Amino acid sequence: TAILSLRGVTKSYGSGDLQVQALRGIDLDVPEGDFLAITGPSGSGKSTLMHILGCLDVPTTGSYELAGVDVSQMSESDLAHVRNREIGFVFQQFNLLQSQSALRNVELPMVYAGMARAERQDRAAEALERVGLGDRLDHKPTQLSGGQQQRVSVARALVTNPTMILADEPTGNLDSVATTDVLELFHALHDQGRTVVVITHEADVAASAAHAVRIRDGRLSHEAAGV
Ligand code: ADP
Ligand code: ADP
């Protein structure tokens, strides 16, 4: 069954002569447990689609069902709840707090969820172990390599046990060794049955996913599968 289902999704910015149609009718089904790459050139609509998939924004028209719930007309506050419950974000810039340890960074989503300290620390340590950083709990981001920092942010995304991991250009700041490292981590998550969606302009990253779709001028075309 599809965990994400988009039908006729459009997104326009501005109005009148200045209106931009960023998405022009997106149909997409992502089965539970898929590892999907969404690729496309600059300006094609990737960020706009990522914002809709991540419940950071809603479509202008069309429907979006996430885990069986239509989120396309939700209020900002309802959308925020869905976002916190269902989606683990991974960003290009890692978005880690520089003054805080890896453990503390991974604890943060659970602080917001109001969980007790001891349980937070246990779960954060376990998530860091799962991404291979069990021996780096007390390190700060500056004491970690780029690939390790991205692993911390993947642990942070996982720790709330979200419906999907949504990664926006996750290897955009990484060298090729660290890129391979992070892609291997996504493969491991996929093998464990996680749903992983990666937005990327890098063809080799797209090729390593289980499936890839390409966006161009706000429309999707389906590509041959990778591995
Ligand atoms: P990509 O992430 O693939 O570079 P975007 O989704 O950022 O593409 O942009 C798609 C189109 O929408 C582009 O023409 C872009 O200029 C336009 N666009 C994106 N965000 C806005 C905005 N907030 N206001 C107006 N136009 C926008
Ligand atoms: P990148 O590092 O790939 O450039 P950004 O940090 O710019 O990604 O984030 C991409 C988008 O997601 C931005 O529009 C930003 O406002 C939004 N965003 C970033 N972090 C969060 C968050 N924790 N919760 C909700 N939205 C976020």
Side-chain angles (χ1 to χ4, degrees), residues 103-139:
L103 188 74
R104 185 71 186 159
N105 269 283
V106 176
E107 264 186 70
L108 269 186
M110 298 179 287
V111 173
Y112 300 136
M115 195 181 288
R117 185 153 187 250
E119 186 180 357
R120 281 193 328 247
Q121 290 186 339
D122 284 352
R123 287 179 57 162
E126 189 208 339
L128 283 162
E129 266 157 38
R130 271 190 278 159
V131 301
L133 291 176
D135 57 347
R136 295 288 189 277
L137 305 186
D138 296 325
H139 286 58

Short mmCIF file of all heavy atoms in Angstrom, two decimals, residues 103-139:
data_model
loop_
_atom_site.label_atom_id
_atom_site.label_comp_id
_atom_site.label_asym_id
_atom_site.label_seq_id
_atom_site.Cartn_x
_atom_site.Cartn_y
_atom_site.Cartn_z
N LEU A 103 24.71 13.45 21.26
CA LEU A 103 23.59 12.89 22.04
C LEU A 103 22.50 13.93 22.24
O LEU A 103 21.31 13.66 22.02
CB LEU A 103 24.10 12.41 23.41
CG LEU A 103 23.07 11.63 24.23
CD1 LEU A 103 22.85 10.24 23.67
CD2 LEU A 103 23.49 11.56 25.69
N ARG A 104 22.90 15.15 22.63
CA ARG A 104 21.93 16.21 22.89
C ARG A 104 21.19 16.61 21.61
O ARG A 104 19.98 16.85 21.63
CB ARG A 104 22.69 17.41 23.50
CG ARG A 104 21.81 18.53 23.94
CD ARG A 104 21.01 18.20 25.19
NE ARG A 104 20.08 19.28 25.47
CZ ARG A 104 18.98 19.16 26.21
NH1 ARG A 104 18.66 18.01 26.75
NH2 ARG A 104 18.19 20.19 26.40
N ASN A 105 21.91 16.67 20.49
CA ASN A 105 21.24 16.99 19.23
C ASN A 105 20.16 15.97 18.89
O ASN A 105 19.08 16.33 18.43
CB ASN A 105 22.26 17.06 18.09
CG ASN A 105 22.82 18.46 17.88
OD1 ASN A 105 22.16 19.31 17.30
ND2 ASN A 105 24.03 18.71 18.36
N VAL A 106 20.46 14.70 19.15
CA VAL A 106 19.49 13.65 18.81
C VAL A 106 18.34 13.62 19.83
O VAL A 106 17.22 13.23 19.50
CB VAL A 106 20.21 12.28 18.71
CG1 VAL A 106 19.22 11.16 18.45
CG2 VAL A 106 21.26 12.33 17.59
N GLU A 107 18.61 14.10 21.04
CA GLU A 107 17.56 14.18 22.07
C GLU A 107 16.50 15.23 21.74
O GLU A 107 15.36 15.13 22.20
CB GLU A 107 18.19 14.59 23.41
CG GLU A 107 18.53 13.48 24.35
CD GLU A 107 18.99 14.08 25.67
OE1 GLU A 107 18.16 14.63 26.40
OE2 GLU A 107 20.20 14.00 25.95
N LEU A 108 16.91 16.26 21.00
CA LEU A 108 16.05 17.45 20.86
C LEU A 108 14.62 17.19 20.40
O LEU A 108 13.69 17.72 21.00
CB LEU A 108 16.71 18.48 19.93
CG LEU A 108 17.61 19.51 20.61
CD1 LEU A 108 18.06 20.54 19.58
CD2 LEU A 108 16.88 20.21 21.75
N PRO A 109 14.40 16.37 19.36
CA PRO A 109 13.01 16.16 18.95
C PRO A 109 12.15 15.59 20.08
O PRO A 109 10.95 15.83 20.13
CB PRO A 109 13.12 15.16 17.80
CG PRO A 109 14.53 15.23 17.35
CD PRO A 109 15.35 15.64 18.53
N MET A 110 12.79 14.85 20.99
CA MET A 110 12.04 14.25 22.09
C MET A 110 11.83 15.25 23.23
O MET A 110 10.88 15.14 23.98
CB MET A 110 12.77 13.00 22.59
CG MET A 110 12.88 11.95 21.50
SD MET A 110 13.75 10.48 22.03
CE MET A 110 15.44 11.07 22.09
N VAL A 111 12.73 16.25 23.33
CA VAL A 111 12.50 17.35 24.27
C VAL A 111 11.20 18.06 23.88
O VAL A 111 10.33 18.30 24.71
CB VAL A 111 13.67 18.36 24.26
CG1 VAL A 111 13.34 19.59 25.12
CG2 VAL A 111 14.95 17.71 24.75
N TYR A 112 11.08 18.34 22.58
CA TYR A 112 9.87 19.02 22.10
C TYR A 112 8.64 18.15 22.33
O TYR A 112 7.55 18.66 22.53
CB TYR A 112 10.00 19.39 20.61
CG TYR A 112 11.16 20.32 20.34
CD1 TYR A 112 12.02 20.11 19.26
CD2 TYR A 112 11.41 21.41 21.18
CE1 TYR A 112 13.09 20.96 19.02
CE2 TYR A 112 12.47 22.26 20.95
CZ TYR A 112 13.31 22.03 19.87
OH TYR A 112 14.36 22.87 19.64
N ALA A 113 8.82 16.83 22.26
CA ALA A 113 7.68 15.92 22.46
C ALA A 113 7.38 15.71 23.94
O ALA A 113 6.43 15.02 24.28
CB ALA A 113 7.96 14.59 21.77
N GLY A 114 8.19 16.30 24.82
CA GLY A 114 7.90 16.25 26.25
C GLY A 114 8.27 14.94 26.95
O GLY A 114 7.72 14.61 27.99
N MET A 115 9.25 14.22 26.37
CA MET A 115 9.62 12.93 26.95
C MET A 115 10.60 13.12 28.12
O MET A 115 11.38 14.07 28.13
CB MET A 115 10.29 12.09 25.86
CG MET A 115 10.41 10.62 26.18
SD MET A 115 11.22 9.77 24.82
CE MET A 115 9.96 9.81 23.57
N ALA A 116 10.55 12.20 29.09
CA ALA A 116 11.43 12.30 30.27
C ALA A 116 12.89 12.11 29.87
O ALA A 116 13.20 11.40 28.91
CB ALA A 116 11.03 11.25 31.30
N ARG A 117 13.77 12.73 30.65
CA ARG A 117 15.18 12.83 30.29
C ARG A 117 15.86 11.47 30.13
O ARG A 117 16.59 11.24 29.15
CB ARG A 117 15.90 13.67 31.36
CG ARG A 117 17.34 13.96 31.05
CD ARG A 117 17.79 15.26 31.73
NE ARG A 117 19.12 15.60 31.29
CZ ARG A 117 20.21 15.53 32.08
NH1 ARG A 117 20.10 15.12 33.33
NH2 ARG A 117 21.39 15.85 31.59
N ALA A 118 15.64 10.58 31.08
CA ALA A 118 16.32 9.28 31.04
C ALA A 118 15.94 8.50 29.78
O ALA A 118 16.80 7.93 29.11
CB ALA A 118 15.97 8.47 32.29
N GLU A 119 14.65 8.54 29.45
CA GLU A 119 14.20 7.82 28.26
C GLU A 119 14.77 8.47 26.99
O GLU A 119 15.20 7.77 26.06
CB GLU A 119 12.68 7.77 28.20
CG GLU A 119 12.20 6.88 27.03
CD GLU A 119 10.70 6.78 26.89
OE1 GLU A 119 9.97 7.35 27.71
OE2 GLU A 119 10.28 6.12 25.92
N ARG A 120 14.79 9.80 26.98
CA ARG A 120 15.37 10.52 25.84
C ARG A 120 16.81 10.11 25.60
O ARG A 120 17.22 9.83 24.48
CB ARG A 120 15.38 12.03 26.13
CG ARG A 120 14.09 12.72 25.94
CD ARG A 120 14.23 14.23 25.93
NE ARG A 120 15.26 14.84 26.72
CZ ARG A 120 15.04 15.62 27.79
NH1 ARG A 120 13.83 15.85 28.22
NH2 ARG A 120 16.05 16.19 28.41
N GLN A 121 17.58 10.08 26.68
CA GLN A 121 19.00 9.76 26.53
C GLN A 121 19.20 8.33 26.06
O GLN A 121 20.05 8.07 25.21
CB GLN A 121 19.72 10.01 27.86
CG GLN A 121 19.79 11.50 28.17
CD GLN A 121 20.63 11.81 29.39
OE1 GLN A 121 20.86 10.96 30.24
NE2 GLN A 121 21.08 13.05 29.48
N ASP A 122 18.40 7.41 26.59
CA ASP A 122 18.48 6.01 26.16
C ASP A 122 18.19 5.90 24.67
O ASP A 122 18.90 5.23 23.92
CB ASP A 122 17.47 5.14 26.93
CG ASP A 122 17.94 4.84 28.34
OD1 ASP A 122 19.10 5.18 28.65
OD2 ASP A 122 17.14 4.30 29.12
N ARG A 123 17.10 6.55 24.28
CA ARG A 123 16.70 6.43 22.87
C ARG A 123 17.68 7.12 21.93
O ARG A 123 17.95 6.64 20.83
CB ARG A 123 15.27 6.97 22.69
CG ARG A 123 14.25 6.00 23.28
CD ARG A 123 12.84 6.49 23.15
NE ARG A 123 12.47 6.76 21.77
CZ ARG A 123 11.21 6.86 21.36
NH1 ARG A 123 10.22 6.71 22.22
NH2 ARG A 123 10.94 7.11 20.10
N ALA A 124 18.21 8.27 22.37
CA ALA A 124 19.18 8.99 21.53
C ALA A 124 20.46 8.17 21.38
O ALA A 124 21.02 8.07 20.28
CB ALA A 124 19.48 10.36 22.13
N ALA A 125 20.91 7.56 22.48
CA ALA A 125 22.12 6.73 22.42
C ALA A 125 21.91 5.53 21.50
O ALA A 125 22.78 5.19 20.69
CB ALA A 125 22.51 6.27 23.82
N GLU A 126 20.73 4.95 21.58
CA GLU A 126 20.41 3.79 20.74
C GLU A 126 20.37 4.20 19.26
O GLU A 126 20.91 3.49 18.39
CB GLU A 126 19.06 3.21 21.17
CG GLU A 126 18.71 1.90 20.53
CD GLU A 126 17.20 1.70 20.42
OE1 GLU A 126 16.46 2.37 21.19
OE2 GLU A 126 16.77 0.92 19.57
N ALA A 127 19.78 5.36 18.97
CA ALA A 127 19.72 5.84 17.58
C ALA A 127 21.13 6.12 17.05
O ALA A 127 21.44 5.80 15.89
CB ALA A 127 18.85 7.10 17.48
N LEU A 128 21.99 6.68 17.88
CA LEU A 128 23.36 6.94 17.45
C LEU A 128 24.13 5.63 17.24
O LEU A 128 24.95 5.54 16.32
CB LEU A 128 24.08 7.86 18.45
CG LEU A 128 23.66 9.33 18.33
CD1 LEU A 128 24.02 10.13 19.57
CD2 LEU A 128 24.31 9.97 17.08
N GLU A 129 23.84 4.63 18.05
CA GLU A 129 24.46 3.32 17.82
C GLU A 129 24.01 2.75 16.48
O GLU A 129 24.82 2.19 15.74
CB GLU A 129 24.10 2.36 18.96
CG GLU A 129 25.17 2.34 20.05
CD GLU A 129 24.63 1.86 21.39
OE1 GLU A 129 23.80 0.93 21.39
OE2 GLU A 129 25.05 2.43 22.41
N ARG A 130 22.73 2.91 16.18
CA ARG A 130 22.20 2.38 14.92
C ARG A 130 22.85 3.00 13.69
O ARG A 130 22.91 2.38 12.64
CB ARG A 130 20.67 2.58 14.85
CG ARG A 130 19.89 1.43 15.47
CD ARG A 130 18.42 1.58 15.16
NE ARG A 130 17.78 2.50 16.08
CZ ARG A 130 16.62 3.13 15.84
NH1 ARG A 130 15.99 2.96 14.70
NH2 ARG A 130 16.12 3.95 16.73
N VAL A 131 23.31 4.25 13.81
CA VAL A 131 23.98 4.87 12.66
C VAL A 131 25.51 4.76 12.77
O VAL A 131 26.24 5.42 12.02
CB VAL A 131 23.57 6.35 12.47
CG1 VAL A 131 22.06 6.47 12.26
CG2 VAL A 131 24.03 7.22 13.64
N GLY A 132 25.98 3.93 13.70
CA GLY A 132 27.41 3.65 13.79
C GLY A 132 28.20 4.68 14.56
O GLY A 132 29.42 4.78 14.40
N LEU A 133 27.53 5.46 15.42
CA LEU A 133 28.22 6.50 16.18
C LEU A 133 28.10 6.29 17.69
O LEU A 133 28.15 7.25 18.47
CB LEU A 133 27.67 7.88 15.80
CG LEU A 133 27.99 8.37 14.39
CD1 LEU A 133 27.30 9.69 14.11
CD2 LEU A 133 29.49 8.50 14.16
N GLY A 134 27.99 5.04 18.08
CA GLY A 134 27.86 4.72 19.50
C GLY A 134 29.04 5.17 20.33
O GLY A 134 28.92 5.38 21.54
N ASP A 135 30.19 5.38 19.67
CA ASP A 135 31.39 5.83 20.40
C ASP A 135 31.63 7.33 20.25
O ASP A 135 32.72 7.82 20.53
CB ASP A 135 32.62 5.04 19.91
CG ASP A 135 32.83 5.19 18.42
OD1 ASP A 135 31.91 5.70 17.72
OD2 ASP A 135 33.91 4.81 17.92
N ARG A 136 30.61 8.07 19.78
CA ARG A 136 30.77 9.52 19.56
C ARG A 136 29.68 10.33 20.25
O ARG A 136 29.43 11.47 19.87
CB ARG A 136 30.70 9.83 18.04
CG ARG A 136 31.83 9.25 17.19
CD ARG A 136 33.14 9.97 17.43
NE ARG A 136 34.16 9.57 16.48
CZ ARG A 136 34.92 8.49 16.61
NH1 ARG A 136 34.77 7.69 17.65
NH2 ARG A 136 35.84 8.20 15.70
N LEU A 137 29.07 9.78 21.27
CA LEU A 137 27.90 10.43 21.90
C LEU A 137 28.21 11.83 22.41
O LEU A 137 27.38 12.74 22.30
CB LEU A 137 27.36 9.59 23.06
CG LEU A 137 26.99 8.13 22.77
CD1 LEU A 137 26.34 7.51 24.01
CD2 LEU A 137 26.07 8.02 21.57
N ASP A 138 29.41 12.02 22.95
CA ASP A 138 29.73 13.30 23.60
C ASP A 138 30.47 14.26 22.67
O ASP A 138 30.84 15.36 23.09
CB ASP A 138 30.57 13.05 24.86
CG ASP A 138 29.78 12.26 25.90
OD1 ASP A 138 28.55 12.48 25.98
OD2 ASP A 138 30.38 11.42 26.59
N HIS A 139 30.68 13.85 21.42
CA HIS A 139 31.37 14.73 20.48
C HIS A 139 30.42 15.83 20.00
O HIS A 139 29.24 15.60 19.78
CB HIS A 139 31.86 13.94 19.27
CG HIS A 139 33.06 13.09 19.56
ND1 HIS A 139 33.07 12.13 20.54
CD2 HIS A 139 34.28 13.05 18.97
CE1 HIS A 139 34.26 11.54 20.55
NE2 HIS A 139 35.01 12.07 19.62
#
